Amino acid sequence: MKVFHTINELRNELKNERKSGKSIGFVPTMGYLHEGHVSLLKEARENNEIVVLSIFVNPTQFGPNEDFDQYPRDFERDEKIALNAGVDCLFYPTVEEMYPNELKSTMKVTKRVDVLCGEKRPGHFDGVALVLTKLFNIVQPDQAYFGLKDAQQVAVIEGLVEDYNIPVKINPVPTVREEDGLAKSSRNIYLTEKERKEAPVLYKSLQKAAEDIQNGNHNAEQLKQNIINTIENETSGTVDYVSIYSYPDLEPINRTNGKIIIALAVKFSNSRLIDNMIISI
Ligand code: AMP
């Protein structure tokens, strides 16, 4: 595995690989790797000759009062995990490398962002679209891999790639969970012991909603309220949102029908957790 800190060095390496006809699979992350990231890397490894992993905590996708400074970072640990996962090129740029000058243009995502995390984190997906456009231009991958844990992100990226004709195939990968159902996340380490015990309730409440739908309850309002009640009764977290929308367009629905997403965000003392379930009815 080779580690690259500069855009030029990575580009030169990948130019040669591309010349010899090798396919490139790309997994962009913010590091502090866990099995969720590893499952993306595994998919990339199985389907490409060269696997590129980027680790970059992207400042432009964090709001002024968000956890950019506190976001966990441990490059040595990540390097070992990347090596074990069969990564060929690890791209680990500094903020100065990625944003050397004041930007002369901006990206504005206009669809699929006025709900869920987009509504709660204004500008977040503009920052995601910006950094991914840069990374796609730098790496020029054939395929890229994204986790469905961030399902809104997948919807936004699919829109971005379609709108701007970016020649990359986007592969969504199912959410990897702890044994008790909690979605793996770099932010889980900030849960207190008590919160960690409570946190699996998030996924359980989604599973119960899916079960209710299967049993014929298609009333979105009622399904949402049941999830809110469960989380409020069984955890010390504060519900940020519980929502049901069509997927991937994220349009409001009253009755569950077609492909839908049930998504939630819950704030614990030092960590905001998200989870979702996508169901085809
Ligand atoms: P992050 O480092 O949080 O920006 O995540 C990098 C990528 O890993 C994104 O595509 C995430 O959706 C994905 N990811 C994060 N957690 C999980 C998980 N538990 N299961 C699957 N993919 C995940």
Side-chain angles (χ1 to χ4, degrees), residues 116 205-206 209 212-213 217-232 239 241-245 251-256 260-264:
L116 307 176
S205 68
L206 290 172
D212 289 350
I213 292 171
N217 184 355
H218 294 288
N219 182 328
E221 211 39 58
Q222 207 175 74
L223 292 161
K224 278 188 271 186
Q225 200 52 55
N226 290 345
I227 295 173
I228 294 171
N229 292 346
T230 305
I231 293 171
E232 285 182 348
V239 173
Y241 64 73
V242 172
S243 307
I244 301 182
Y245 291 110
E251 300 284 357
I253 47 170
N254 294 324
R255 290 187 63 74
T256 55
I260 62 149
I261 181 166
I262 314 174
L264 54 79

PDB file of all heavy atoms in Angstrom, residues 116 205-206 209 212-213 217-232 239 241-245 251-256 260-264:
ATOM      1  N   LEU A 116     -34.458  15.812   6.338  1.00  0.00           N
ATOM      2  CA  LEU A 116     -33.519  14.961   7.087  1.00  0.00           C
ATOM      3  C   LEU A 116     -32.269  15.747   7.519  1.00  0.00           C
ATOM      4  O   LEU A 116     -32.378  16.876   7.983  1.00  0.00           O
ATOM      5  CB  LEU A 116     -33.140  13.710   6.262  1.00  0.00           C
ATOM      6  CG  LEU A 116     -34.304  12.881   5.715  1.00  0.00           C
ATOM      7  CD1 LEU A 116     -33.789  11.733   4.831  1.00  0.00           C
ATOM      8  CD2 LEU A 116     -35.155  12.312   6.828  1.00  0.00           C
ATOM      9  N   SER A 205     -36.471   0.249  16.691  1.00  0.00           N
ATOM     10  CA  SER A 205     -37.696   0.997  16.381  1.00  0.00           C
ATOM     11  C   SER A 205     -37.936   1.045  14.870  1.00  0.00           C
ATOM     12  O   SER A 205     -39.085   1.031  14.413  1.00  0.00           O
ATOM     13  CB  SER A 205     -37.636   2.409  16.978  1.00  0.00           C
ATOM     14  OG  SER A 205     -36.655   3.180  16.321  1.00  0.00           O
ATOM     15  N   LEU A 206     -36.856   1.053  14.101  1.00  0.00           N
ATOM     16  CA  LEU A 206     -37.001   1.010  12.633  1.00  0.00           C
ATOM     17  C   LEU A 206     -37.514  -0.365  12.192  1.00  0.00           C
ATOM     18  O   LEU A 206     -38.378  -0.478  11.317  1.00  0.00           O
ATOM     19  CB  LEU A 206     -35.650   1.291  11.954  1.00  0.00           C
ATOM     20  CG  LEU A 206     -35.106   2.713  12.049  1.00  0.00           C
ATOM     21  CD1 LEU A 206     -33.676   2.781  11.512  1.00  0.00           C
ATOM     22  CD2 LEU A 206     -36.002   3.691  11.289  1.00  0.00           C
ATOM     23  N   ALA A 209     -41.154  -0.651  12.845  1.00  0.00           N
ATOM     24  CA  ALA A 209     -41.940   0.083  11.840  1.00  0.00           C
ATOM     25  C   ALA A 209     -42.047  -0.736  10.557  1.00  0.00           C
ATOM     26  O   ALA A 209     -43.127  -0.822   9.948  1.00  0.00           O
ATOM     27  CB  ALA A 209     -41.301   1.434  11.562  1.00  0.00           C
ATOM     28  N   ASP A 212     -44.529  -3.363  11.117  1.00  0.00           N
ATOM     29  CA  ASP A 212     -45.892  -2.808  11.092  1.00  0.00           C
ATOM     30  C   ASP A 212     -46.356  -2.572   9.655  1.00  0.00           C
ATOM     31  O   ASP A 212     -47.517  -2.817   9.315  1.00  0.00           O
ATOM     32  CB  ASP A 212     -45.947  -1.483  11.869  1.00  0.00           C
ATOM     33  CG  ASP A 212     -45.811  -1.696  13.368  1.00  0.00           C
ATOM     34  OD1 ASP A 212     -45.875  -2.874  13.806  1.00  0.00           O
ATOM     35  OD2 ASP A 212     -45.615  -0.708  14.100  1.00  0.00           O
ATOM     36  N   ILE A 213     -45.441  -2.097   8.819  1.00  0.00           N
ATOM     37  CA  ILE A 213     -45.789  -1.867   7.406  1.00  0.00           C
ATOM     38  C   ILE A 213     -46.152  -3.198   6.754  1.00  0.00           C
ATOM     39  O   ILE A 213     -47.153  -3.320   6.051  1.00  0.00           O
ATOM     40  CB  ILE A 213     -44.627  -1.175   6.659  1.00  0.00           C
ATOM     41  CG1 ILE A 213     -44.456   0.256   7.172  1.00  0.00           C
ATOM     42  CG2 ILE A 213     -44.867  -1.180   5.150  1.00  0.00           C
ATOM     43  CD1 ILE A 213     -43.205   0.966   6.674  1.00  0.00           C
ATOM     44  N   ASN A 217     -49.941  -1.627   8.202  1.00  0.00           N
ATOM     45  CA  ASN A 217     -50.061  -0.230   8.652  1.00  0.00           C
ATOM     46  C   ASN A 217     -49.264   0.671   7.707  1.00  0.00           C
ATOM     47  O   ASN A 217     -48.040   0.666   7.712  1.00  0.00           O
ATOM     48  CB  ASN A 217     -49.546  -0.092  10.095  1.00  0.00           C
ATOM     49  CG  ASN A 217     -49.739   1.325  10.615  1.00  0.00           C
ATOM     50  OD1 ASN A 217     -50.162   2.221   9.880  1.00  0.00           O
ATOM     51  ND2 ASN A 217     -49.433   1.534  11.894  1.00  0.00           N
ATOM     52  N   HIS A 218     -49.978   1.444   6.893  1.00  0.00           N
ATOM     53  CA  HIS A 218     -49.290   2.304   5.923  1.00  0.00           C
ATOM     54  C   HIS A 218     -49.430   3.780   6.263  1.00  0.00           C
ATOM     55  O   HIS A 218     -49.152   4.640   5.433  1.00  0.00           O
ATOM     56  CB  HIS A 218     -49.817   2.017   4.514  1.00  0.00           C
ATOM     57  CG  HIS A 218     -49.476   0.631   4.050  1.00  0.00           C
ATOM     58  ND1 HIS A 218     -48.202   0.271   3.698  1.00  0.00           N
ATOM     59  CD2 HIS A 218     -50.232  -0.485   3.943  1.00  0.00           C
ATOM     60  CE1 HIS A 218     -48.184  -1.015   3.364  1.00  0.00           C
ATOM     61  NE2 HIS A 218     -49.402  -1.499   3.520  1.00  0.00           N
ATOM     62  N   ASN A 219     -49.866   4.058   7.478  1.00  0.00           N
ATOM     63  CA  ASN A 219     -50.063   5.441   7.905  1.00  0.00           C
ATOM     64  C   ASN A 219     -48.727   6.027   8.390  1.00  0.00           C
ATOM     65  O   ASN A 219     -48.252   5.741   9.486  1.00  0.00           O
ATOM     66  CB  ASN A 219     -51.106   5.443   9.035  1.00  0.00           C
ATOM     67  CG  ASN A 219     -51.412   6.841   9.511  1.00  0.00           C
ATOM     68  OD1 ASN A 219     -50.548   7.724   9.496  1.00  0.00           O
ATOM     69  ND2 ASN A 219     -52.645   7.050   9.944  1.00  0.00           N
ATOM     70  N   ALA A 220     -48.128   6.858   7.538  1.00  0.00           N
ATOM     71  CA  ALA A 220     -46.768   7.347   7.813  1.00  0.00           C
ATOM     72  C   ALA A 220     -46.697   8.110   9.141  1.00  0.00           C
ATOM     73  O   ALA A 220     -45.748   7.947   9.909  1.00  0.00           O
ATOM     74  CB  ALA A 220     -46.285   8.228   6.665  1.00  0.00           C
ATOM     75  N   GLU A 221     -47.724   8.937   9.406  1.00  0.00           N
ATOM     76  CA  GLU A 221     -47.716   9.739  10.634  1.00  0.00           C
ATOM     77  C   GLU A 221     -47.688   8.850  11.873  1.00  0.00           C
ATOM     78  O   GLU A 221     -46.925   9.079  12.818  1.00  0.00           O
ATOM     79  CB  GLU A 221     -48.966  10.643  10.626  1.00  0.00           C
ATOM     80  CG  GLU A 221     -48.811  11.977  11.315  1.00  0.00           C
ATOM     81  CD  GLU A 221     -47.452  12.649  11.083  1.00  0.00           C
ATOM     82  OE1 GLU A 221     -47.050  12.917   9.930  1.00  0.00           O
ATOM     83  OE2 GLU A 221     -46.774  12.866  12.105  1.00  0.00           O
ATOM     84  N   GLN A 222     -48.533   7.810  11.817  1.00  0.00           N
ATOM     85  CA  GLN A 222     -48.617   6.897  12.961  1.00  0.00           C
ATOM     86  C   GLN A 222     -47.312   6.115  13.145  1.00  0.00           C
ATOM     87  O   GLN A 222     -46.808   5.955  14.254  1.00  0.00           O
ATOM     88  CB  GLN A 222     -49.761   5.924  12.693  1.00  0.00           C
ATOM     89  CG  GLN A 222     -50.404   5.354  13.924  1.00  0.00           C
ATOM     90  CD  GLN A 222     -51.590   4.502  13.511  1.00  0.00           C
ATOM     91  OE1 GLN A 222     -51.402   3.396  13.005  1.00  0.00           O
ATOM     92  NE2 GLN A 222     -52.797   5.027  13.685  1.00  0.00           N
ATOM     93  N   LEU A 223     -46.745   5.671  12.047  1.00  0.00           N
ATOM     94  CA  LEU A 223     -45.486   4.914  12.107  1.00  0.00           C
ATOM     95  C   LEU A 223     -44.382   5.773  12.714  1.00  0.00           C
ATOM     96  O   LEU A 223     -43.610   5.329  13.565  1.00  0.00           O
ATOM     97  CB  LEU A 223     -45.082   4.450  10.703  1.00  0.00           C
ATOM     98  CG  LEU A 223     -45.990   3.377  10.066  1.00  0.00           C
ATOM     99  CD1 LEU A 223     -45.795   3.338   8.551  1.00  0.00           C
ATOM    100  CD2 LEU A 223     -45.724   2.002  10.666  1.00  0.00           C
ATOM    101  N   LYS A 224     -44.328   7.043  12.290  1.00  0.00           N
ATOM    102  CA  LYS A 224     -43.302   7.964  12.810  1.00  0.00           C
ATOM    103  C   LYS A 224     -43.490   8.168  14.304  1.00  0.00           C
ATOM    104  O   LYS A 224     -42.541   8.127  15.080  1.00  0.00           O
ATOM    105  CB  LYS A 224     -43.418   9.334  12.107  1.00  0.00           C
ATOM    106  CG  LYS A 224     -42.751   9.385  10.756  1.00  0.00           C
ATOM    107  CD  LYS A 224     -42.724  10.802  10.221  1.00  0.00           C
ATOM    108  CE  LYS A 224     -43.957  11.103   9.421  1.00  0.00           C
ATOM    109  NZ  LYS A 224     -43.954  12.406   8.744  1.00  0.00           N
ATOM    110  N   GLN A 225     -44.778   8.400  14.699  1.00  0.00           N
ATOM    111  CA  GLN A 225     -45.050   8.669  16.111  1.00  0.00           C
ATOM    112  C   GLN A 225     -44.667   7.480  16.987  1.00  0.00           C
ATOM    113  O   GLN A 225     -44.118   7.660  18.078  1.00  0.00           O
ATOM    114  CB  GLN A 225     -46.539   9.043  16.289  1.00  0.00           C
ATOM    115  CG  GLN A 225     -46.832   9.783  17.582  1.00  0.00           C
ATOM    116  CD  GLN A 225     -45.925  11.005  17.822  1.00  0.00           C
ATOM    117  OE1 GLN A 225     -45.848  11.895  16.978  1.00  0.00           O
ATOM    118  NE2 GLN A 225     -45.200  11.027  18.943  1.00  0.00           N
ATOM    119  N   ASN A 226     -44.913   6.264  16.481  1.00  0.00           N
ATOM    120  CA  ASN A 226     -44.535   5.066  17.254  1.00  0.00           C
ATOM    121  C   ASN A 226     -43.030   5.026  17.487  1.00  0.00           C
ATOM    122  O   ASN A 226     -42.561   4.690  18.573  1.00  0.00           O
ATOM    123  CB  ASN A 226     -44.953   3.787  16.517  1.00  0.00           C
ATOM    124  CG  ASN A 226     -46.461   3.619  16.510  1.00  0.00           C
ATOM    125  OD1 ASN A 226     -47.169   4.281  17.277  1.00  0.00           O
ATOM    126  ND2 ASN A 226     -46.958   2.745  15.636  1.00  0.00           N
ATOM    127  N   ILE A 227     -42.265   5.392  16.449  1.00  0.00           N
ATOM    128  CA  ILE A 227     -40.791   5.377  16.579  1.00  0.00           C
ATOM    129  C   ILE A 227     -40.356   6.428  17.611  1.00  0.00           C
ATOM    130  O   ILE A 227     -39.538   6.158  18.488  1.00  0.00           O
ATOM    131  CB  ILE A 227     -40.119   5.643  15.215  1.00  0.00           C
ATOM    132  CG1 ILE A 227     -40.433   4.511  14.240  1.00  0.00           C
ATOM    133  CG2 ILE A 227     -38.605   5.803  15.372  1.00  0.00           C
ATOM    134  CD1 ILE A 227     -39.963   4.749  12.811  1.00  0.00           C
ATOM    135  N   ILE A 228     -40.943   7.619  17.495  1.00  0.00           N
ATOM    136  CA  ILE A 228     -40.589   8.696  18.437  1.00  0.00           C
ATOM    137  C   ILE A 228     -40.881   8.261  19.866  1.00  0.00           C
ATOM    138  O   ILE A 228     -40.041   8.406  20.765  1.00  0.00           O
ATOM    139  CB  ILE A 228     -41.358  10.003  18.087  1.00  0.00           C
ATOM    140  CG1 ILE A 228     -40.889  10.546  16.738  1.00  0.00           C
ATOM    141  CG2 ILE A 228     -41.176  11.063  19.187  1.00  0.00           C
ATOM    142  CD1 ILE A 228     -41.711  11.694  16.189  1.00  0.00           C
ATOM    143  N   ASN A 229     -42.077   7.679  20.070  1.00  0.00           N
ATOM    144  CA  ASN A 229     -42.452   7.237  21.424  1.00  0.00           C
ATOM    145  C   ASN A 229     -41.455   6.220  21.957  1.00  0.00           C
ATOM    146  O   ASN A 229     -41.008   6.320  23.097  1.00  0.00           O
ATOM    147  CB  ASN A 229     -43.857   6.625  21.423  1.00  0.00           C
ATOM    148  CG  ASN A 229     -44.914   7.681  21.147  1.00  0.00           C
ATOM    149  OD1 ASN A 229     -44.624   8.886  21.223  1.00  0.00           O
ATOM    150  ND2 ASN A 229     -46.126   7.264  20.818  1.00  0.00           N
ATOM    151  N   THR A 230     -41.102   5.247  21.125  1.00  0.00           N
ATOM    152  CA  THR A 230     -40.173   4.202  21.570  1.00  0.00           C
ATOM    153  C   THR A 230     -38.842   4.824  21.972  1.00  0.00           C
ATOM    154  O   THR A 230     -38.299   4.519  23.038  1.00  0.00           O
ATOM    155  CB  THR A 230     -39.932   3.176  20.430  1.00  0.00           C
ATOM    156  OG1 THR A 230     -41.210   2.689  20.014  1.00  0.00           O
ATOM    157  CG2 THR A 230     -39.072   2.021  20.893  1.00  0.00           C
ATOM    158  N   ILE A 231     -38.319   5.721  21.133  1.00  0.00           N
ATOM    159  CA  ILE A 231     -36.998   6.301  21.426  1.00  0.00           C
ATOM    160  C   ILE A 231     -37.068   7.171  22.681  1.00  0.00           C
ATOM    161  O   ILE A 231     -36.181   7.122  23.536  1.00  0.00           O
ATOM    162  CB  ILE A 231     -36.467   7.096  20.214  1.00  0.00           C
ATOM    163  CG1 ILE A 231     -36.186   6.129  19.061  1.00  0.00           C
ATOM    164  CG2 ILE A 231     -35.203   7.883  20.573  1.00  0.00           C
ATOM    165  CD1 ILE A 231     -35.859   6.790  17.741  1.00  0.00           C
ATOM    166  N   GLU A 232     -38.152   7.939  22.784  1.00  0.00           N
ATOM    167  CA  GLU A 232     -38.278   8.809  23.970  1.00  0.00           C
ATOM    168  C   GLU A 232     -38.446   8.006  25.255  1.00  0.00           C
ATOM    169  O   GLU A 232     -37.917   8.371  26.294  1.00  0.00           O
ATOM    170  CB  GLU A 232     -39.440   9.795  23.782  1.00  0.00           C
ATOM    171  CG  GLU A 232     -39.035  10.893  22.804  1.00  0.00           C
ATOM    172  CD  GLU A 232     -40.113  11.945  22.590  1.00  0.00           C
ATOM    173  OE1 GLU A 232     -41.285  11.722  23.009  1.00  0.00           O
ATOM    174  OE2 GLU A 232     -39.793  12.969  21.982  1.00  0.00           O
ATOM    175  N   VAL A 239     -34.865  13.149  20.189  1.00  0.00           N
ATOM    176  CA  VAL A 239     -35.128  12.920  18.766  1.00  0.00           C
ATOM    177  C   VAL A 239     -34.903  14.210  17.988  1.00  0.00           C
ATOM    178  O   VAL A 239     -35.500  15.242  18.308  1.00  0.00           O
ATOM    179  CB  VAL A 239     -36.576  12.412  18.565  1.00  0.00           C
ATOM    180  CG1 VAL A 239     -36.924  12.337  17.083  1.00  0.00           C
ATOM    181  CG2 VAL A 239     -36.752  11.051  19.228  1.00  0.00           C
ATOM    182  N   TYR A 241     -34.968  14.107  14.379  1.00  0.00           N
ATOM    183  CA  TYR A 241     -36.080  13.884  13.444  1.00  0.00           C
ATOM    184  C   TYR A 241     -36.365  12.398  13.300  1.00  0.00           C
ATOM    185  O   TYR A 241     -35.472  11.568  13.516  1.00  0.00           O
ATOM    186  CB  TYR A 241     -35.802  14.492  12.054  1.00  0.00           C
ATOM    187  CG  TYR A 241     -34.629  13.881  11.301  1.00  0.00           C
ATOM    188  CD1 TYR A 241     -34.708  12.609  10.740  1.00  0.00           C
ATOM    189  CD2 TYR A 241     -33.443  14.591  11.131  1.00  0.00           C
ATOM    190  CE1 TYR A 241     -33.641  12.053  10.046  1.00  0.00           C
ATOM    191  CE2 TYR A 241     -32.366  14.043  10.445  1.00  0.00           C
ATOM    192  CZ  TYR A 241     -32.480  12.772   9.902  1.00  0.00           C
ATOM    193  OH  TYR A 241     -31.429  12.214   9.229  1.00  0.00           O
ATOM    194  N   VAL A 242     -37.611  12.108  12.981  1.00  0.00           N
ATOM    195  CA  VAL A 242     -37.993  10.783  12.482  1.00  0.00           C
ATOM    196  C   VAL A 242     -38.848  11.083  11.268  1.00  0.00           C
ATOM    197  O   VAL A 242     -39.835  11.817  11.373  1.00  0.00           O
ATOM    198  CB  VAL A 242     -38.814   9.975  13.521  1.00  0.00           C
ATOM    199  CG1 VAL A 242     -39.353   8.704  12.889  1.00  0.00           C
ATOM    200  CG2 VAL A 242     -37.962   9.647  14.743  1.00  0.00           C
ATOM    201  N   SER A 243     -38.470  10.576  10.112  1.00  0.00           N
ATOM    202  CA  SER A 243     -39.171  10.954   8.888  1.00  0.00           C
ATOM    203  C   SER A 243     -39.347   9.767   7.966  1.00  0.00           C
ATOM    204  O   SER A 243     -38.543   8.829   7.981  1.00  0.00           O
ATOM    205  CB  SER A 243     -38.389  12.029   8.121  1.00  0.00           C
ATOM    206  OG  SER A 243     -38.104  13.117   8.960  1.00  0.00           O
ATOM    207  N   ILE A 244     -40.397   9.862   7.169  1.00  0.00           N
ATOM    208  CA  ILE A 244     -40.611   8.855   6.126  1.00  0.00           C
ATOM    209  C   ILE A 244     -40.785   9.594   4.802  1.00  0.00           C
ATOM    210  O   ILE A 244     -41.609  10.514   4.702  1.00  0.00           O
ATOM    211  CB  ILE A 244     -41.854   7.983   6.434  1.00  0.00           C
ATOM    212  CG1 ILE A 244     -41.680   7.280   7.797  1.00  0.00           C
ATOM    213  CG2 ILE A 244     -42.077   6.960   5.313  1.00  0.00           C
ATOM    214  CD1 ILE A 244     -42.813   6.353   8.196  1.00  0.00           C
ATOM    215  N   TYR A 245     -39.992   9.232   3.816  1.00  0.00           N
ATOM    216  CA  TYR A 245     -40.049   9.880   2.497  1.00  0.00           C
ATOM    217  C   TYR A 245     -39.942   8.826   1.410  1.00  0.00           C
ATOM    218  O   TYR A 245     -39.535   7.685   1.668  1.00  0.00           O
ATOM    219  CB  TYR A 245     -38.887  10.865   2.329  1.00  0.00           C
ATOM    220  CG  TYR A 245     -38.988  12.078   3.210  1.00  0.00           C
ATOM    221  CD1 TYR A 245     -38.117  12.261   4.276  1.00  0.00           C
ATOM    222  CD2 TYR A 245     -39.961  13.050   2.967  1.00  0.00           C
ATOM    223  CE1 TYR A 245     -38.211  13.374   5.098  1.00  0.00           C
ATOM    224  CE2 TYR A 245     -40.048  14.170   3.786  1.00  0.00           C
ATOM    225  CZ  TYR A 245     -39.181  14.330   4.844  1.00  0.00           C
ATOM    226  OH  TYR A 245     -39.276  15.425   5.652  1.00  0.00           O
ATOM    227  N   GLU A 251     -39.313  12.771  -1.306  1.00  0.00           N
ATOM    228  CA  GLU A 251     -40.542  13.561  -1.336  1.00  0.00           C
ATOM    229  C   GLU A 251     -41.443  13.093  -0.195  1.00  0.00           C
ATOM    230  O   GLU A 251     -41.451  11.899   0.134  1.00  0.00           O
ATOM    231  CB  GLU A 251     -41.287  13.344  -2.672  1.00  0.00           C
ATOM    232  CG  GLU A 251     -40.509  13.720  -3.923  1.00  0.00           C
ATOM    233  CD  GLU A 251     -40.422  15.219  -4.156  1.00  0.00           C
ATOM    234  OE1 GLU A 251     -41.009  15.981  -3.369  1.00  0.00           O
ATOM    235  OE2 GLU A 251     -39.730  15.613  -5.113  1.00  0.00           O
ATOM    236  N   PRO A 252     -42.247  14.029   0.374  1.00  0.00           N
ATOM    237  CA  PRO A 252     -43.147  13.636   1.469  1.00  0.00           C
ATOM    238  C   PRO A 252     -44.202  12.627   1.003  1.00  0.00           C
ATOM    239  O   PRO A 252     -44.647  12.696  -0.145  1.00  0.00           O
ATOM    240  CB  PRO A 252     -43.829  14.946   1.866  1.00  0.00           C
ATOM    241  CG  PRO A 252     -43.128  16.021   1.142  1.00  0.00           C
ATOM    242  CD  PRO A 252     -42.339  15.426   0.030  1.00  0.00           C
ATOM    243  N   ILE A 253     -44.585  11.715   1.880  1.00  0.00           N
ATOM    244  CA  ILE A 253     -45.670  10.781   1.567  1.00  0.00           C
ATOM    245  C   ILE A 253     -46.565  10.638   2.796  1.00  0.00           C
ATOM    246  O   ILE A 253     -46.090  10.753   3.920  1.00  0.00           O
ATOM    247  CB  ILE A 253     -45.153   9.374   1.158  1.00  0.00           C
ATOM    248  CG1 ILE A 253     -44.071   8.894   2.139  1.00  0.00           C
ATOM    249  CG2 ILE A 253     -44.644   9.348  -0.257  1.00  0.00           C
ATOM    250  CD1 ILE A 253     -43.687   7.455   1.955  1.00  0.00           C
ATOM    251  N   ASN A 254     -47.854  10.413   2.561  1.00  0.00           N
ATOM    252  CA  ASN A 254     -48.767  10.165   3.682  1.00  0.00           C
ATOM    253  C   ASN A 254     -48.911   8.681   3.938  1.00  0.00           C
ATOM    254  O   ASN A 254     -48.943   8.227   5.070  1.00  0.00           O
ATOM    255  CB  ASN A 254     -50.153  10.747   3.390  1.00  0.00           C
ATOM    256  CG  ASN A 254     -50.078  12.256   3.312  1.00  0.00           C
ATOM    257  OD1 ASN A 254     -49.318  12.872   4.060  1.00  0.00           O
ATOM    258  ND2 ASN A 254     -50.827  12.838   2.388  1.00  0.00           N
ATOM    259  N   ARG A 255     -48.991   7.954   2.827  1.00  0.00           N
ATOM    260  CA  ARG A 255     -49.132   6.500   2.953  1.00  0.00           C
ATOM    261  C   ARG A 255     -47.894   5.843   2.358  1.00  0.00           C
ATOM    262  O   ARG A 255     -47.398   6.257   1.306  1.00  0.00           O
ATOM    263  CB  ARG A 255     -50.396   6.003   2.237  1.00  0.00           C
ATOM    264  CG  ARG A 255     -51.674   6.424   2.952  1.00  0.00           C
ATOM    265  CD  ARG A 255     -52.897   5.780   2.344  1.00  0.00           C
ATOM    266  NE  ARG A 255     -52.907   4.313   2.461  1.00  0.00           N
ATOM    267  CZ  ARG A 255     -53.150   3.639   3.581  1.00  0.00           C
ATOM    268  NH1 ARG A 255     -53.389   4.287   4.712  1.00  0.00           N
ATOM    269  NH2 ARG A 255     -53.166   2.320   3.592  1.00  0.00           N
ATOM    270  N   THR A 256     -47.387   4.837   3.072  1.00  0.00           N
ATOM    271  CA  THR A 256     -46.178   4.179   2.591  1.00  0.00           C
ATOM    272  C   THR A 256     -46.508   3.341   1.354  1.00  0.00           C
ATOM    273  O   THR A 256     -47.423   2.534   1.368  1.00  0.00           O
ATOM    274  CB  THR A 256     -45.573   3.287   3.690  1.00  0.00           C
ATOM    275  OG1 THR A 256     -46.560   2.376   4.146  1.00  0.00           O
ATOM    276  CG2 THR A 256     -45.075   4.126   4.846  1.00  0.00           C
ATOM    277  N   ILE A 260     -39.435   3.436  -0.108  1.00  0.00           N
ATOM    278  CA  ILE A 260     -39.460   4.496   0.901  1.00  0.00           C
ATOM    279  C   ILE A 260     -38.257   4.381   1.841  1.00  0.00           C
ATOM    280  O   ILE A 260     -37.632   3.333   1.942  1.00  0.00           O
ATOM    281  CB  ILE A 260     -40.748   4.448   1.762  1.00  0.00           C
ATOM    282  CG1 ILE A 260     -40.818   3.120   2.545  1.00  0.00           C
ATOM    283  CG2 ILE A 260     -41.980   4.656   0.915  1.00  0.00           C
ATOM    284  CD1 ILE A 260     -41.518   3.259   3.867  1.00  0.00           C
ATOM    285  N   ILE A 261     -37.985   5.509   2.508  1.00  0.00           N
ATOM    286  CA  ILE A 261     -36.956   5.486   3.554  1.00  0.00           C
ATOM    287  C   ILE A 261     -37.593   5.936   4.869  1.00  0.00           C
ATOM    288  O   ILE A 261     -38.363   6.896   4.894  1.00  0.00           O
ATOM    289  CB  ILE A 261     -35.757   6.389   3.186  1.00  0.00           C
ATOM    290  CG1 ILE A 261     -34.688   6.326   4.300  1.00  0.00           C
ATOM    291  CG2 ILE A 261     -36.159   7.839   2.947  1.00  0.00           C
ATOM    292  CD1 ILE A 261     -33.353   6.902   3.899  1.00  0.00           C
ATOM    293  N   ILE A 262     -37.285   5.177   5.911  1.00  0.00           N
ATOM    294  CA  ILE A 262     -37.630   5.623   7.259  1.00  0.00           C
ATOM    295  C   ILE A 262     -36.295   6.016   7.872  1.00  0.00           C
ATOM    296  O   ILE A 262     -35.381   5.188   7.947  1.00  0.00           O
ATOM    297  CB  ILE A 262     -38.264   4.502   8.110  1.00  0.00           C
ATOM    298  CG1 ILE A 262     -39.343   3.759   7.318  1.00  0.00           C
ATOM    299  CG2 ILE A 262     -38.830   5.056   9.414  1.00  0.00           C
ATOM    300  CD1 ILE A 262     -39.910   2.551   8.045  1.00  0.00           C
ATOM    301  N   ALA A 263     -36.172   7.269   8.255  1.00  0.00           N
ATOM    302  CA  ALA A 263     -34.863   7.748   8.706  1.00  0.00           C
ATOM    303  C   ALA A 263     -35.007   8.487  10.027  1.00  0.00           C
ATOM    304  O   ALA A 263     -36.043   9.103  10.295  1.00  0.00           O
ATOM    305  CB  ALA A 263     -34.262   8.682   7.657  1.00  0.00           C
ATOM    306  N   LEU A 264     -33.956   8.401  10.836  1.00  0.00           N
ATOM    307  CA  LEU A 264     -34.001   9.110  12.120  1.00  0.00           C
ATOM    308  C   LEU A 264     -32.628   9.643  12.513  1.00  0.00           C
ATOM    309  O   LEU A 264     -31.602   9.150  12.050  1.00  0.00           O
ATOM    310  CB  LEU A 264     -34.552   8.184  13.211  1.00  0.00           C
ATOM    311  CG  LEU A 264     -33.895   6.825  13.442  1.00  0.00           C
ATOM    312  CD1 LEU A 264     -32.623   6.952  14.247  1.00  0.00           C
ATOM    313  CD2 LEU A 264     -34.868   5.907  14.171  1.00  0.00           C
TER     314      LEU A 264
END
